[in-house]
Each structure stands twice: as structure tokens, then as C-alpha cells.
Amino acid sequence: MWVLEDISKQLEKLLREACDACKASTIALSGGLDSTIIAHLLKKKEPEGITIIAKDFVANDLTYCQMVSKQFGIKSTICNVDTAEILDAVEQTIKILKNFNDIEIRNNVVMYLAIKWAKDNGKNDIITGDGADELFAGYNFLVNKSGEDLDREIERVCTIMHFPTKIIGNSLGVEVETPFLSENIVEFAKKIPSNLKVRRENDTLYGKWVLRNTFKDKIPAQIAWRKKSPMQDGSGTAGLTRLFDAIIDDESFKEKKDKIEDSDHVTIRTKESMFYYEKFRKHYNTPVNKTQNTCPFCKVDVNNSKFCRMCGAYPI
């Protein structure tokens, strides 16, 4: 029989061990639950946090990162990046990840900028909160599932989870350390019942409930019960979608869209995707292949997935 108190004690113990095993002294700090837990567990080592904030778009991470820095007494660097820097980083991210997936690019350009900051400042490694959303049902689409549906979805997500931050880190020569993905945490998380991962608290359903409950008295309450916020929202890079809609006129979009469909047999879904695809094609050939189970938009093999990692189409 599972006793919540025992689960929380063991979870905290394993996470502390995983964090203590990290060599890095820099945390990619978003002010979200995962990176805040890491900052709490490492505070005696006086780590440094790096936070990426877009100057020209609305970002909601800043207040939370400042809260973490103040409570734990750690140095936090806020790196404010303008649109030109973001667009340059977008191309570099596309080149590294070899896709034009709008969702993945908007999120991982943030990690590219954080890891590049680490490299530029003479740091050989950085710690991220990768893995917590997958292992503890943090994604918003999981929150309204229950019972066997939730069990199946968590299992599916865990079997296909991948972390572009590792690829970016390898490309830039910076080691990315991921305490949530330590073997002991992964194995323990699989044993925790899904009704402790998604659970109601004060009339609100939360993913990662067991993590929130375990650390609720050790980190700021506003963060312990902060709703899931993707990197693109916290950093402000979600504003890229509106930017491309504004600067690419409808006539040019249609003309380019039709030309790409004729020449490359790729269907471009949005103006943002158009910009990313053009950057992708500067470095790589058309992604089309001839397998049977392909994405209807970019014709890349999707291995029975509902989501295309190449172009970002969902559902397919």
C-alpha cells in the first residue's frame, strides 16, 4: 500500500541525491516548479541561475525567477534578448535540431540562448529540469485524463520523450545535466500511481501534484501551485507567432506556400512555419521521404505518433 508521506520522503531523497551528483553550478532557471525544486535542493552549493527573457514580447517568468533568487539567496542572471538576437538564435536552433517544428523551435530557442550564455561565460555545464513533465504528468493535455486513459498516456509520453537540450548542449560543447532523468528517479516515478501525479487541489486539477505537494512548504507557494507554463510563454518567445503574422503579408505567404508545395511537396501551415522552413532549407534538403506512415504536411515518417517532430503538425 502506498503511503503519501513515504512517497514524498523517498522522492525528495532521490532528487537531492540526483542534484548533488551534478557537477554544474548553473541552473537554467525559469521560475517554474522543476527548476525551482532544483534550485532549492542545490541552494547550499550557491548555484547561479540563468533566465532568458525576450525584450520585445510579453514574458511571465521574470517575477518568479526573482522570487526564487531572493528566497534561496542565489545569484540570478536575467539575459534580456532583443528580437534580432532571437531570430539569429532561431536559425541556429533549426540548424542544430534539423527540423522546422514551430512548437519545438519557439521553446528550444530559449534553451539555445541559455546554453550559449553558459558557453560564452566560460561554463562547461548547465542543469535543466528536463524530464519532470514526462515522468510526473506535467503537460496540460494530461490533466483532464483519468484512470486507465491517464496511465496509458503517461506510459506513451515516457516511451517517446526526447530532450533537444541535450542535442543543443552537445553542439555547443556544454554538458546538460538532468537530475529528474537520473535512473533512480525514472524508476521510482514509474511506480507512483497516476492519481498522485494528476490530482485536485483547492478545486483545481494539477499535473505533477506529488512534486508540488512534496515541496510546497520548501519553495514559494506561488511557484508550488503555478500552472504549467511552456518555455515559449515564460520567456516571451510565444510572441514570435504574432510577429510573423504581422510582417509576412497574406499574398506573399500564399505565393511562397504554393511554390514550396509544388517544388518540395511540403505543405506549410502558418506564416511562422514558413519562416522556419526557409531557414531549414538553407541548410538541409527537403524532408520528404517515401515510407507509408508519413505526416500529411511534410511527408516525414511519424512512427504512428500523433505529433510530427519535423514540422510540428498536431494531431495527425
Side-chain angles (χ1 to χ4, degrees):
M1 180 177 177
W2 287 91
V3 178
L4 179 57
E5 184 179 356
D6 293 339
I7 292 174
S8 290
K9 285 181 178 178
Q10 182 67 0
L11 181 56
E12 182 174 2
K13 174 179 176 291
L14 293 176
L15 275 171
R16 187 177 297 280
E17 290 172 353
C19 287
D20 286 344
C22 291
K23 303 186 298 293
S25 60
T26 303
I27 303 169
L29 187 64
S30 68
L33 180 69
D34 313 329
S35 62
T36 300
I37 289 173
I38 292 170
H40 160 68
L41 293 171
L42 287 177
K43 61 186 176 184
K44 290 183 179 178
K45 291 186 176 182
E46 299 182 344
E48 178 177 5
I50 171 63
T51 302
I52 303 299
I53 297 292
K55 281 183 182 178
D56 304 322
F57 305 124
V58 176
N60 55 35
D61 277 351
L62 181 57
T63 299
Y64 295 101
C65 291
Q66 291 171 332
M67 194 181 299
V68 173
S69 178
K70 182 177 180 180
Q71 175 150 336
F72 300 144
I74 63 175
K75 178 183 177 183
S76 181
T77 297
I78 307 299
C79 186
N80 292 292
V81 290
D82 61 28
T83 301
E85 291 175 281
I86 293 173
L87 293 181
D88 179 66
V90 160
E91 180 165 358
Q92 297 308 313
T93 304
I94 290 169
K95 186 177 179 182
I96 292 168
L97 297 184
K98 301 179 181 179
N99 69 50
F100 53 99
N101 178 336
D102 47 358
I103 299 171
E104 188 162 285
I105 299 305
R106 281 196 305 271
N107 282 299
N108 283 287
V109 68
V110 181
M111 294 311 303
Y112 170 85
L113 287 163
I115 295 169
K116 185 176 184 298
W117 179 91
K119 181 181 178 63
D120 290 346
N121 285 273
K123 301 175 189 303
N124 298 318
D125 34 37
I126 191 169
I127 304 171
T128 75
D130 286 346
D133 285 319
E134 289 79 4
L135 294 170
F136 296 96
Y139 291 115
N140 291 330
F141 73 87
L142 294 171
V143 171
N144 292 315
K145 297 183 182 296
S146 60
E148 292 182 358
D149 285 346
L150 179 58
D151 289 331
R152 280 194 296 269
E153 276 298 283
I154 291 174
E155 183 177 0
R156 183 185 70 82
V157 167
C158 287
T159 59
I160 63 172
M161 61 182 178
H162 80 302
F163 303 100
T165 46
K166 291 276 190 180
I167 301 171
I168 294 169
N170 288 339
S171 176
L172 294 177
V174 175
E175 182 181 358
V176 175
E177 296 189 286
T178 53
F180 279 102
L181 289 170
S182 72
E183 184 177 348
N184 288 338
I185 295 295
V186 172
E187 291 306 310
F188 187 66
K190 289 178 181 178
K191 299 174 184 176
I192 297 175
S194 60
N195 64 1
L196 293 181
K197 295 178 178 179
V198 174
R199 192 161 178 162
R200 192 171 296 278
E201 182 77 23
N202 295 328
D203 296 325
T204 301
L205 275 172
Y206 287 96
K208 296 190 288 197
W209 182 88
V210 67
L211 274 176
R212 298 175 189 275
N213 187 69
T214 297
F215 291 96
K216 64 182 179 182
D217 297 323
K218 297 164 185 177
I219 65 175
Q222 298 95 319
I223 296 175
W225 302 108
R226 183 184 177 188
K227 298 299 288 288
K228 168 67 178 173
S229 178
M231 281 186 282
Q232 62 178 9
D233 294 334
S235 66
T237 58
L240 289 169
T241 303
R242 294 187 297 276
L243 173 68
F244 293 123
D245 283 343
I247 64 176
I248 301 175
D249 65 80
D250 293 343
E251 186 176 346
S252 295
F253 173 66
K254 185 179 186 308
E255 183 179 329
K256 288 183 177 182
K257 181 178 185 296
D258 291 343
K259 184 177 180 180
I260 291 169
E261 194 151 5
D262 287 342
S263 62
D264 293 357
H265 307 292
V266 170
T267 300
I268 301 298
R269 297 173 294 108
T270 67
K271 294 177 181 180
E272 182 180 16
S273 295
M274 174 73 73
F275 181 88
Y276 296 161
Y277 185 71
E278 289 178 332
K279 297 300 181 184
F280 173 85
R281 288 290 276 119
K282 281 179 62 178
H283 304 284
Y284 303 107
N285 293 326
T286 175
V288 173
N289 60 36
K290 297 181 180 181
T291 60
Q292 290 184 339
N293 189 20
T294 60
C295 169
F297 294 95
C298 70
K299 313 304 186 294
V300 165
D301 186 7
V302 291
N303 293 320
N304 295 315
S305 174
K306 301 175 184 177
F307 174 72
C308 178
R309 295 201 183 282
M310 175 60 73
C311 73
Y314 177 87
I316 53 175

